[in-house]
């Protein structure tokens, strides 16, 4: 299938909310990790979301180039071509973009998509994230309103974050404290500023104790009932059930019961990065340790080309990441839900 059209992406999200499941949103940093994510979604029979952060886009452009737009455009074009070989729908998304990088990342990408749409083409990405968690809520929503207008014009869905996700990701960090929990007032302010679809579609990363990084199950103090409270309060005011399309950030270390609670309250997208990074790297470590004398030219020997050929360990890495994507689809109840059936 091709990359999801704006209409197909909207249908994906609608079906997820109606069916109380969510799509894993897999962060990628290369063609290999992208191919692995596609493999995993196909094996799970699930549509999905593939996303690239500012740091990931810099890396894709070349570690000595560090051009976010170059990396993002190149990855999107590559994904558009290779995704045609898989029987699933994939949406492309850009992850966490703070205020100081908007003019270097999201705004130029929106401009590219707006021009493409004007020429009768599909937008380059299907959604973009504005991470305003580091600025006051009023400023966050003011910027979000401006971006939503541009996103709607390019047939793109905007993702915002109202609240703070703890830990660190791509240089954006936050303390682990009471600010990790969004409030009903945050939800009402969001609806007042952005509407509930009439100004353009958006997803909301309301926070309920989420923390980026590596944590063992049970160590992250999540309170998914906060999502229920906000959905009910905003829904009561506007006469709409589960008015927000919610996003779950910082899911590593979450209990399955907490994940399922969040799905029941309207989460349609869950970011997966830390766990898939490890799933990609672990098989490589295993290969290198088992083939130590083959991947190194020890004591003047020639080594074993079959062992150090990047394809040898690259396939193992991709299979490892793909298996973790399948597991994520199982946890998020999206297995077998693809629209392509």
């Amino acid at each position: 299938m091709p990359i999801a059209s704006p209409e197909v992406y909207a249908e994906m999200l609608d079906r997820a909310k109606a069916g109380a499941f969510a799509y894993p949103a897999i962060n990628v940093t290369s063609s290999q990790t992208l191919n692995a994510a596609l493999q995993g979604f196909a094996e799970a029979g699930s549509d999905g979301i593939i996303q690239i952060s500012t740091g990931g886009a810099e890396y894709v452009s070349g570690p000595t180039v560090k051009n976010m737009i170059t990396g993002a455009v190149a990855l999107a074009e590559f994904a558009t071509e290779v995704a045609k070989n898989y029987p699933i729908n994939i949406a492309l998304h850009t992850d966490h973009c703070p205020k100081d990088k908007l003019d270097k990342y999201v705004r130029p990408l929106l401009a590219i998509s707006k021009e493409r749409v004007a020429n009768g083409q599909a937008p380059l990405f299907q959604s973009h994230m504005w991470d305003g968690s580091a600025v006051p809520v009023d400023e966050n929503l003011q910027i979000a309103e401006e971006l939503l207008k541009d996103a709607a014009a390019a047939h793109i869905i905007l993702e915002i974050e109202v609240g703070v996700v703890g830990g660190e990701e791509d240089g954006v960090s936050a303390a682990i404290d009471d600010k990790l929990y969004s409030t009903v007032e945050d939800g009402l302010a969001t609806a007042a500023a952005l509407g509930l679809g009439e100004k353009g579609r958006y997803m909301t990363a309301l926070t309920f104790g989420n923390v980026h990084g590596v944590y063992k199950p049970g160590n992250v103090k999540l309170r998914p009932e906060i999502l229920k409270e906000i959905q009910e309060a905003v829904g009561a005011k506007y006469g709409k059930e589960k008015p927000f399309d919610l996003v779950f950030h910082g899911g590593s270390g979450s209990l399955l019961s907490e994940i399922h609670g969040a799905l029941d309250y309207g989460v349609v997208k869950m970011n997966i990065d830390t766990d898939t990074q490890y799933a990609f790297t672990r098989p490589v470590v295993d290969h290198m340790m088992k083939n130590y004398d083959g991947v190194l030219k020890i004591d003047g020997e020639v080594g074993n080309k079959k062992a150090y050929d990047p394809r040898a360990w690259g396939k193992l890495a991709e299979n490892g990441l793909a298996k973790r994507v399948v597991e994520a689809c199982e946890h998020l109840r999206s297995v077998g839900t693809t629209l392509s059936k």
Side-chain angles (χ1 to χ4, degrees):
M1 298 290 288
I3 293 296
S5 66
E7 294 77 17
V8 168
Y9 191 24
E11 186 178 356
M12 284 169 56
L13 299 179
D14 289 342
R15 290 178 77 244
K17 185 188 282 187
F21 67 88
Y23 298 106
I26 307 300
N27 280 73
V28 299
T29 54
S30 65
S31 61
Q32 277 190 305
T33 50
L34 187 147
N35 280 332
L38 290 172
Q39 177 186 330
F41 283 123
E43 290 176 355
S46 171
D47 298 325
I49 300 169
I50 288 175
Q51 58 190 24
I52 186 165
S53 64
T54 56
E58 280 189 347
Y59 181 77
V60 169
S61 74
T64 61
V65 175
K66 295 184 177 182
N67 185 306
M68 290 182 282
I69 299 301
T70 296
V73 171
L75 189 94
E77 294 287 8
F78 178 81
T80 299
E81 188 60 34
V82 298
K84 296 175 183 177
N85 296 307
Y86 293 86
I88 50 173
N89 298 285
I90 294 294
L92 300 177
H93 175 79
T94 60
D95 197 19
H96 290 280
C97 182
K99 182 180 177 180
D100 64 340
K101 294 182 179 178
L102 280 174
D103 289 338
K104 302 175 184 177
Y105 197 51
V106 166
R107 288 193 174 109
L109 290 174
L110 281 171
I112 290 172
S113 285
K114 191 173 181 180
E115 182 177 354
R116 286 168 61 100
V117 169
N119 292 330
Q121 298 174 279
L124 189 63
F125 284 84
Q126 286 65 59
S127 52
H128 292 297
M129 182 188 177
W130 147 236
D131 183 352
S133 60
V135 301
V137 172
D138 288 348
E139 182 182 1
N140 181 352
L141 294 176
Q142 180 182 352
I143 293 173
E145 191 171 7
E146 296 168 0
L147 292 171
L148 183 60
K149 182 178 180 181
D150 290 335
H155 301 171
I156 287 171
I157 294 172
L158 182 68
E159 180 184 329
I160 65 169
E161 185 170 312
V162 182
V164 176
V165 175
E168 187 273 335
E169 182 176 46
D170 262 355
V172 179
S173 60
I176 300 175
D177 54 27
D178 288 343
K179 292 182 180 179
L180 301 186
Y181 302 95
S182 297
T183 65
V184 168
E185 289 71 27
D186 292 334
L188 291 168
T190 299
L194 305 184
L196 293 176
E198 66 274 13
K199 295 182 179 181
R201 187 160 188 170
Y202 63 95
M203 296 181 282
T204 314
L206 297 174
T207 57
F208 51 104
N210 318 60
V211 179
H212 289 133
V214 184
Y215 297 89
K216 292 182 179 180
N219 285 359
V220 176
K221 305 304 179 184
L222 294 179
R223 293 170 54 200
E225 65 274 9
I226 286 175
L227 303 180
K228 181 175 184 288
E229 294 170 5
I230 296 174
Q231 291 275 46
E232 288 179 345
V234 176
K237 180 172 182 178
Y238 292 91
K240 187 175 182 180
E241 186 179 2
K242 294 181 184 176
F244 291 127
D245 295 334
L246 299 178
V247 181
F248 189 156
H249 285 224
S252 297
S254 303
L255 298 173
L256 195 56
S257 59
E258 295 169 333
I259 293 174
H260 287 171
L263 300 183
D264 292 338
Y265 303 143
V267 165
V268 295
K269 172 180 181 281
M270 179 174 172
N271 289 11
I272 312 286
D273 187 16
T274 301
D275 292 347
T276 45
Q277 285 180 354
Y278 182 77
F280 184 82
T281 301
R282 181 64 181 83
V284 179
V285 175
D286 186 60
H287 175 83
M288 297 303 173
M289 295 182 74
K290 288 180 178 178
N291 297 279
Y292 184 79
D293 56 349
V295 298
L296 292 176
K297 297 182 179 182
I298 300 173
D299 296 331
E301 295 296 327
V302 296
N304 181 351
K305 183 180 179 181
K306 290 184 178 179
Y308 60 72
D309 184 334
R311 290 170 293 185
W313 49 265
K315 291 175 184 176
L316 298 173
E318 290 184 38
N319 284 333
L321 193 155
K323 288 180 181 178
R324 184 60 183 85
V325 172
V326 172
E327 181 182 340
C329 291
E330 292 170 347
H331 289 172
L332 298 181
R333 305 170 177 163
S334 71
V335 171
T337 63
T338 178
L339 285 168
S340 65
K341 290 196 301 181

